[in-house]
């Protein structure tokens, strides 16, 4: 009986994993190491408790009417929140203690979209910060599940996806908002966070289509679609990170996982090309937004956030990597990592 139960569990997990959006090699590696833990890690879901007591913003809520210009938007004016992106926004593995846990999309703790614990003192996420100003904020994710699950709400991010899939995600987000009863699609102010690029860079040494030119073409097409189809919207465009930073996170489990899903980030021979593509993506993203092409309307704008641009894995006092910020694959964020990213995004927004 135990054998049959175990077999059934494996078959169920296999079916679930194959629909996860990850590449087949990575899926196979997860299945081979399903119950393995990372020898470098202790408390996988440790949280930076000290951060929870540092929110000192004045949460005075203005009684003035809803603004008519996005350029006069205040935190309490934001009524609807959404996001598009990849597994870092879907929060894959945020609560994982084993390799198999990387498959779980822990959207409720996602840095830009989570709110399964709506109290900021219990969970630091962008929606929870915004709820200090507007408790009626709608769209944040709870629990776990895929992008089409009820728990996802307006978090359309999908693991494994690249800039090439962002336009489709944007269309899904707009359609879902339109079909959701109880929200004011035309008049309500919306905040959408867009963060993508890691998978483009992790695939760049194996597929020539992942170039800075194509990345920017995809980003612009997505932003143009939002501008034309999503009224009263502020887009947070978070600049892509440098995936070569994973090199500092060592150990047999880390390397085993990293070599499968982001070998381009570790390749010494490809490193000059990777850094060139990364810098081009980062600079051209800033140039696009600073050109003010999306600032010609009271209805829509895009704000670029560069805090991921030079971000490297956190280190301990001895200079070694601090694995408490990461899931067991040493790439995705742990709950602690998501909370740190949420703080960085909020600080970037208000500064």
């Amino acid at each position: 009986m135990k054998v049959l139960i175990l077999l059934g569990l494996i078959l169920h997990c296999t079916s679930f994993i194959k629909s996860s959006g990850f590449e087949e090699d990575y899926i196979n590696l997860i299945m081979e190491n399903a119950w393995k833990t990372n020898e470098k890690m202790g408390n996988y879901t440790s949280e930076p408790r000290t951060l929870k007591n540092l929110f000192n913003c004045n949460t005075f809520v203005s009684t003035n009417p809803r603004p008519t210009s996005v350029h006069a938007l205040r935190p309490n004016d934001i009524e609807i929140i959404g996001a598009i992106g990849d597994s870092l926004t879907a929060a894959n593995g945020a609560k994982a203690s084993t390799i198999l846990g990387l498959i779980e999309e822990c959207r409720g703790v996602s840095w830009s979209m989570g709110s399964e614990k709506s109290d900021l003192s219990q969970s630091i996420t962008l929606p929870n910060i915004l709820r200090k100003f507007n408790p009626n904020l709608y769209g944040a994710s709870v629990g776990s599940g895929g992008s089409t699950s009820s728990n996802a709400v307006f978090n359309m991010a999908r693991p494994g996806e690249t800039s090439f899939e962002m336009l489709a995600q944007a269309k899904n987000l707009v359609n879902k908002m339109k079909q959701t009863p109880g929200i004011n699609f035309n008049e309500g102010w919306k905040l959408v966070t867009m963060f993508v690029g890691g998978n483009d860079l992790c695939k760049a040494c194996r597929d020539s289509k992942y170039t800075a030119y194509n990345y920017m073409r995809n980003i612009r097409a997505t932003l143009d679609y939002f501008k034309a189809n999503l009224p009263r919207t502020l887009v947070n465009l978070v600049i892509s990170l440098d995936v070569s930073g994973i090199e500092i996170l060592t150990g047999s489990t880390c390397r085993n996982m990293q070599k499968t899903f982001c070998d381009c980030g570790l390749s010494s021979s490809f490193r000059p090309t990777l850094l060139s593509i990364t810098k081009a993506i980062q600079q051209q993203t800033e140039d696009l937004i600073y050109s003010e092409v999306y600032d010609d309307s009271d209805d829509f704008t895009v704000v670029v956030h560069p805090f991921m641009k030079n971000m490297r894995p956190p280190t301990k006092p001895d200079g070694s990597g601090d694995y408490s910020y990461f899931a067991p694959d040493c790439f995705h964020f742990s709950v602690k990592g998501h909370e740190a990213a949420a703080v960085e995004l909020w600080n970037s927004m208000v500064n």
Side-chain angles (χ1 to χ4, degrees), residues 202-251:
C202 282
K203 297 177 180 180
C205 64
R206 292 180 278 112
D207 192 331
S208 61
K209 78 175 184 179
Y210 294 107
T211 63
Y213 174 83
N214 283 338
Y215 178 89
M216 293 308 304
R217 183 184 63 179
N218 296 333
I219 295 304
R220 180 144 194 178
T222 304
L223 293 175
D224 288 349
Y225 177 82
F226 275 142
K227 184 177 181 181
N229 295 278
L230 199 59
R232 294 204 162 185
T233 298
L234 167 65
V235 174
N236 274 337
L237 181 57
V238 180
I239 291 182
S240 180
L241 45 68
D242 175 5
V243 297
S244 69
I246 62 174
E247 189 174 44
I248 193 177
L249 301 171
T250 60

Side-chain angles (χ1 to χ4, degrees), residues 191-203:
L191 175 67
V192 175
T193 299
M194 178 176 174
F195 176 54
V196 71
N199 289 321
D200 295 67
L201 296 169
C202 282
K203 297 177 180 180

Side-chain angles (χ1 to χ4, degrees), residues 17 22 43 46 60 66 72 104 115 126 157-158 173 193 308:
I17 288 172
F22 288 127
N43 183 1
S46 60
F60 168 75
R66 178 188 285 146
E104 183 181 4
S115 193
L126 180 60
R158 282 178 49 83
L173 178 59
T193 299
M308 291 276 191

